[in-house]
Amino acid sequence: MDGPSENIRLLFEPRGVAVVGASANPAKIGFQVVNNLRAGGYQGRIFPVNPRGGEILGLAVYRSLLDIDGPVDIACLVIPAGRVLEVVADCAQAGVKNLVVITSGFAEIGNAELEKRIVAAAAAHGMRVLGPNIFGIYSSNCRMNATFGPKDIKPGQVAIITQSGAIGVAMIGKTATENIGLSAIVSVGNTSDIDEADLLEYLIEDQTTKIILMYIEGVKDGQRLIQVLNKATREKPVIVIKAGRSQRGAVAVASHTGSLAGADAIFDDIMRQCGVLRAESIQEALDWSMFLSAVPQPKGENAVIVTNGGGMGVLATDACEKFGVELYADIDTLDRVFSGFVPAFGSTKNPIDLTGGATVEDYAAVIQASLEQEEFHSILALFCETAGLDEESMMRVIEEKFLASLTIKPIVFILFGGEKMERCAQELARKKIPVFTEVVSAVSALGALYRGFHHRVSYQTMPAQPLPAGSTGSGPVAEDDFDDGVVEEIIRGAQADGRSFLLAPEASALMQAANIPMPRSRVAKSLAEAEAFAEEIGYPVVMKIVSKDILHKSDAGGVALDLLDRTEVLTAYQAIEHNCRVYNNKARIEGIEVCQMVRPGTETIIGAQRNKVFGPVLMFGLGGIYVEVMKDVSFRSLPVNPRQAFEMVSEIKSFPLLMGVRGEAQKDIPQIIAIMGKISKLILRCQEITDVEVNPLMVYRRGEGCLAVDARILISKPGR
Ligand code: ACO
């Protein structure tokens, strides 16, 4: 990943754009693209191409691409689908670097073959393809509006990448009304070639772009996207709106883009892992974009709320808790800094309540004091409409006194009230002041700023080195033994048998080779062996029939639980043998398994899978109903570092159960993290393993460890 390729740089900064299918007919897209390029003040050369020749909007029309006498970095194709392929050869001969294929009628309607041939023909000549099925591309760096969307795109600092053309076109208008300017907007359509990761490579380095906003329905190459997003979020905020969160939505997405969206929960967790901010709605994404482009990074956690309304202060406090914004809490400092400005019936405790009689001057003084105090890192200034609050002077003070302060620390202004407050908010927004008219959306934006801050801080303190097997998430870590030879032998054996799954004894042996604790067990072939093995394992034990011909062991009377001593073992051995003979007298009995009886603990589940979109993914959750009904699980793309593994454990809703509730002892979380490391290592080291699931992993009190009671392992067929 060394930055954008030359083609992609020229996609955003082309020296010349040819419009193939340029038309003199204003009703046609071929006219609108030429018109937008001209109206937008494109700084390169525009080459309309149409075999009819003539002029369009005062520009000479070229009869062929081959007649063009200057560099053409983009050929924007607005000709019917059936004619696109034949034009590719001319593009190559004319030295075109990128094809921007606006035309529809390809993979989105099942015509994938033609799309592939176009991409292959372009690639053979070093050309890249954006689209097809797009509304075009806008880049403020060279004032290029090569779209058939709105003519007047407001330049600014937010870059949008969108998989939906219609949403993209609508966002051009919506961002303008929200006073958000765009550095770029790119419609990716069918992503036949150029995808989000290619575009991000440019936008990461682009000085004009401060915020990247993506509308995503499905991901094709998730592993590359993760790599580029990890790099992007270290440089600037990346906001994602992903459709298909609901089950029905996911089905709709699959039919819309023809791509598999992947489980939304996995997408959600992986985006968080990359430091991407996932917005719930377009409005939330725009709010965050506006705010994050207007304020600096905070230098620390502590926010202060200043308000003239106690109720609003409480609502803001609730929202801070919900969105992870920490409120400064040292009462003595708060009192020292603010007591001079707050009336006796107000409050200096955070929220700072100036009460309903507060004047604009009171606000100005308190905000100024907050700016000067180093321990306060961000400010929420809540103005409720009151008779005493003069809105004209409020606007003047905010603009004159605090616009410049927005380079010092983040300030969120919230103007709550009727028409007058709404008008003030609009006017201030036009001047690039981050102002909201509602408290929850304001705090949500501040929360987004802090999530980005936390991600950058955690990256700086713990770069993404992999989670070593045996890691406890804290303190020094010893590398565990991991018997690659045994693991390989087990897998080869199963593959030779034509199986894509491991049998229970194979799975147990593989767990042992990976040094994952399983219940102790041996297969006895005689009464004497059963007795000896039970003594060796320690009571109580469980006994089970081992026979390929008896699948349902309990039905056959082939299981005995909780055997406490030698006599019980001997009786059980004879009873199991007898029962199974009666059940199926032809069954081949290999022996009777004597197994450690697992004592009850907290049931958890750890899994790893080779995900089709994102590659190796790790999963953790509480077992039983927690995973089945509540879906209380967390995911990460592998590798993960110890902190990320701990985050996975701590972010499930039932985490308090692991920490110990109602006087119960804390569970062995370091051992859970260690086993997560071992399972990660299994899937990362053995390409043949496609799925591992330990369920349940029985977890005991801290220091007492865990037991993998059951393991399910899927492998690829040989040669795959
Ligand atoms: N070289 C140059 N010009 C050509 C060529 C060629 N090889 N072949 C045809 N032309 C000319 C035509 O003569 C015509 O010019 P004219 O107006 O002077 O006669 C012009 O190119 C356009 O060709 P038409 O056949 O008239 O095609 P039309 O403009 O009706 O449609 C279009 C072309 C717009 C590409 C259409 O096929 C299409 O795909 N429309 C959908 C676009 C779309 O929605 N994209 C997704 C956007 S995302 C969203 O939903 C917002």
Side-chain angles (χ1 to χ4, degrees):
M1 278 195 299
D2 310 317
S5 67
E6 185 61 4
N7 285 60
I8 298 297
R9 195 183 62 72
L10 290 170
L11 181 70
F12 286 92
E13 299 168 24
R15 294 160 296 177
V17 176
V19 181
V20 182
S23 174
N25 179 349
K28 291 197 181 181
I29 291 181
F31 174 87
Q32 289 148 16
V33 174
V34 177
N35 194 26
N36 280 356
L37 280 164
R38 273 187 62 94
Y42 171 50
Q43 289 163 341
R45 289 180 67 192
I46 307 168
F47 306 108
V49 180
N50 187 314
R52 290 180 205 277
E55 258 192 19
I56 299 172
L57 294 163
L59 294 165
V61 175
Y62 293 76
R63 288 181 194 280
S64 158
L65 274 156
L66 305 180
D67 298 340
I68 295 175
D69 54 348
V72 188
D73 295 323
I74 289 181
C76 185
L77 307 192
V78 276
I79 49 176
R83 316 205 61 167
V84 171
L85 186 58
E86 70 199 40
V87 168
V88 177
D90 276 3
C91 289
Q93 218 178 323
V96 170
K97 300 288 183 287
N98 295 289
L99 306 180
V100 169
V101 188
I102 288 184
T103 311
S104 301
F106 297 92
E108 81 282 6
I109 56 157
N111 202 359
E113 200 43 47
L114 179 58
E115 189 174 296
K116 277 192 199 143
R117 287 171 65 197
I118 291 164
V119 173
H125 295 97
M127 295 186 288
R128 302 293 307 270
V129 179
L130 180 68
N133 188 29
I134 60 176
F135 67 77
I137 172 168
Y138 162 79
S139 168
S140 74
N141 279 338
C142 57
R143 300 175 63 184
M144 172 190 61
N145 181 356
T147 76
F148 67 93
K151 217 165 36 188
D152 44 351
I153 300 180
K154 191 178 152 70
Q157 301 177 320
V158 177
I160 299 179
I161 301 172
T162 174
Q163 285 182 358
S164 159
I167 287 182
V169 172
M171 290 244 273
I172 297 176
K174 185 75 181 145
T175 47
T177 60
E178 300 270 330
N179 299 292
I180 296 168
L182 300 180
S183 57
I185 180 160
V186 191
S187 167
V188 291
N190 298 0
T191 52
S192 65
D193 174 21
I194 295 174
D195 66 4
E196 289 80 3
D198 293 312
L199 301 169
L200 282 168
E201 292 274 22
Y202 173 85
L203 297 172
I204 291 170
E205 291 187 1
D206 176 36
Q207 296 297 314
T208 319
T209 300
K210 296 277 180 285
I211 311 284
I212 300 167
L213 173 52
M214 301 202 286
Y215 172 82
I216 292 185
E217 292 186 350
V219 177
K220 284 184 181 164
D221 185 351
Q223 282 182 282
R224 171 138 188 265
L225 186 64
I226 289 171
Q227 264 186 343
V228 183
L229 283 174
N230 273 323
K231 186 166 127 188
T233 55
R234 293 204 285 278
E235 301 297 326
K236 46 192 84 173
V238 179
I239 300 167
V240 164
I241 311 161
K242 180 177 176 292
R245 207 185 261 276
S246 63
Q247 276 185 13
R248 272 173 177 269
V251 172
V253 159
S255 59
H256 185 184
T257 60
S259 74
L260 269 176
D264 189 72
I266 298 181
F267 177 88
D268 203 49
D269 283 0
I270 290 180
M271 287 302 112
R272 192 151 7 94
Q273 179 183 6
C274 295
V276 170
L277 306 167
R278 183 172 181 186
E280 283 282 337
S281 64
I282 293 177
Q283 187 57 52
E284 189 173 55
L286 294 179
D287 284 349
W288 293 357
S289 301
M290 176 277 287
F291 181 65
L292 298 180
S293 57
V295 300
Q297 283 300 310
K299 294 200 172 73
E301 297 285 349
N302 301 313
V304 286
I305 300 173
V306 183
T307 179
N308 59 348
M312 283 296 274
V314 176
L315 282 178
T317 307
D318 289 347
C320 283
E321 193 173 302
K322 174 173 176 190
F323 294 109
V325 176
E326 296 276 332
L327 291 178
Y328 185 79
D330 185 287
I331 292 171
D332 294 338
T333 306
L334 287 164
D335 200 51
R336 178 173 52 74
V337 176
F338 296 119
S339 57
F341 311 112
V342 176
F345 44 89
S347 171
T348 59
K349 296 189 186 83
N350 202 2
I352 320 304
D353 185 3
L354 300 173
T355 75
T359 61
V360 170
E361 290 70 31
D362 295 330
Y363 267 102
V366 170
I367 295 172
Q368 187 56 42
S370 309
L371 280 166
E372 285 164 14
Q373 197 67 29
E374 281 207 6
E375 300 104 300
F376 305 161
H377 304 117
S378 54
I379 304 163
L380 275 149
L382 276 156
F383 297 76
C384 294
E385 187 171 3
T386 62
L389 197 68
D390 175 51
E391 74 273 8
E392 290 304 326
S393 47
M394 174 182 74
M395 278 206 302
R396 204 174 46 252
V397 164
I398 291 177
E399 188 185 343
E400 288 173 7
K401 267 184 95 80
F402 299 117
L403 180 57
S405 309
L406 285 170
T407 55
I408 304 169
K409 46 181 94 164
I411 313 180
V412 197
F413 294 100
I414 300 150
L415 310 189
F416 183 67
E419 207 179 303
K420 282 193 286 188
M421 296 301 251
E422 295 274 345
R423 187 178 51 75
C424 292
Q426 279 168 17
E427 208 157 308
L428 290 169
R430 271 195 287 279
K431 292 172 178 157
K432 297 269 161 243
I433 295 174
V435 59
F436 291 83
T437 53
E438 192 272 318
V439 70
V440 176
S441 43
V443 182
S444 151
L446 188 59
L449 179 76
Y450 270 111
R451 285 210 297 287
F453 169 74
H454 294 147
H455 181 76
R456 270 183 289 278
V457 169
S458 73
Y459 177 78
Q460 278 153 12
T461 52
M462 178 145 342
Q465 87 270 23
L467 172 64
S471 164
T472 58
S474 61
V477 166
E479 188 70 4
D480 271 353
D481 297 337
F482 184 94
D483 201 331
D484 288 292
V486 173
V487 172
E488 235 168 75
E489 200 185 305
I490 296 168
I491 292 171
R492 295 276 167 270
Q495 285 183 330
D497 226 16
R499 275 183 281 122
S500 54
F501 61 92
L502 297 191
L503 296 170
E506 292 169 336
S508 301
L510 194 138
M511 290 282 118
Q512 260 163 33
N515 212 1
I516 295 168
M518 296 280 289
R520 288 184 297 278
S521 119
R522 308 276 308 259
V523 177
K525 304 218 186 256
S526 67
L527 262 178
E529 269 188 7
E531 183 190 346
F533 293 159
E535 297 286 331
E536 178 191 309
I537 287 165
Y539 296 103
V541 293
V542 174
M543 290 171 69
K544 292 180 235 171
I545 189 76
V546 182
S547 167
K548 280 186 184 151
D549 302 316
I550 300 177
L551 290 180
H552 304 289
K553 298 181 174 66
S554 301
D555 293 355
V559 179
L561 303 172
D562 207 8
L563 308 171
L564 296 173
D565 54 31
R566 181 178 163 276
T567 319
E568 288 193 6
V569 165
L570 296 180
T571 314
Y573 188 97
Q574 286 162 327
I576 289 175
E577 219 174 23
H578 171 78
N579 294 344
C580 293
R581 289 264 169 259
V582 172
Y583 182 77
N584 178 355
N585 64 3
K586 294 210 176 73
R588 286 157 296 174
I589 293 173
E590 287 149 54
I592 295 177
E593 187 185 356
V594 183
C595 185
Q596 175 189 352
M597 171 105 178
V598 177
R599 48 186 178 98
T602 305
E603 288 186 23
T604 61
I605 172 169
I606 299 178
Q609 62 156 232
R610 224 169 273 289
N611 185 274
K612 282 199 184 77
V613 176
F614 293 108
V617 170
L618 183 66
M619 186 257 276
F620 172 77
L622 241 56
I625 55 155
Y626 293 97
V627 63
E628 279 159 28
V629 183
M630 322 279 287
K631 309 262 183 289
D632 189 13
V633 289
S634 56
F635 298 93
R636 291 292 184 279
S637 143
L638 284 169
V640 295
N641 64 35
R643 173 174 300 186
Q644 289 168 327
F646 178 72
E647 276 168 13
M648 285 181 73
V649 176
S650 61
E651 77 190 23
I652 61 166
K653 290 184 206 78
S654 29
F655 178 60
L657 296 180
L658 293 172
M659 289 302 283
V661 282
R662 299 198 176 174
E664 271 187 12
Q666 199 192 85
K667 306 297 177 292
D668 207 334
I669 296 170
Q671 273 311 306
I672 297 177
I673 291 173
I675 293 172
M676 287 165 84
K678 292 171 188 186
I679 288 173
S680 306
K681 198 164 161 181
L682 258 181
I683 199 144
L684 289 173
R685 292 248 286 248
C686 310
Q687 292 305 311
E688 294 86 355
I689 297 181
T690 58
D691 280 86
V692 186
E693 189 181 288
V694 173
N695 183 21
L697 175 80
M698 205 61 90
V699 183
Y700 302 107
R701 293 152 67 109
R702 196 180 169 117
E704 294 181 4
C706 307
L707 269 185
V709 178
D710 204 2
R712 195 178 60 94
I713 296 169
L714 303 182
I715 55 172
S716 55
K717 290 252 168 75
R720 293 232 179 127

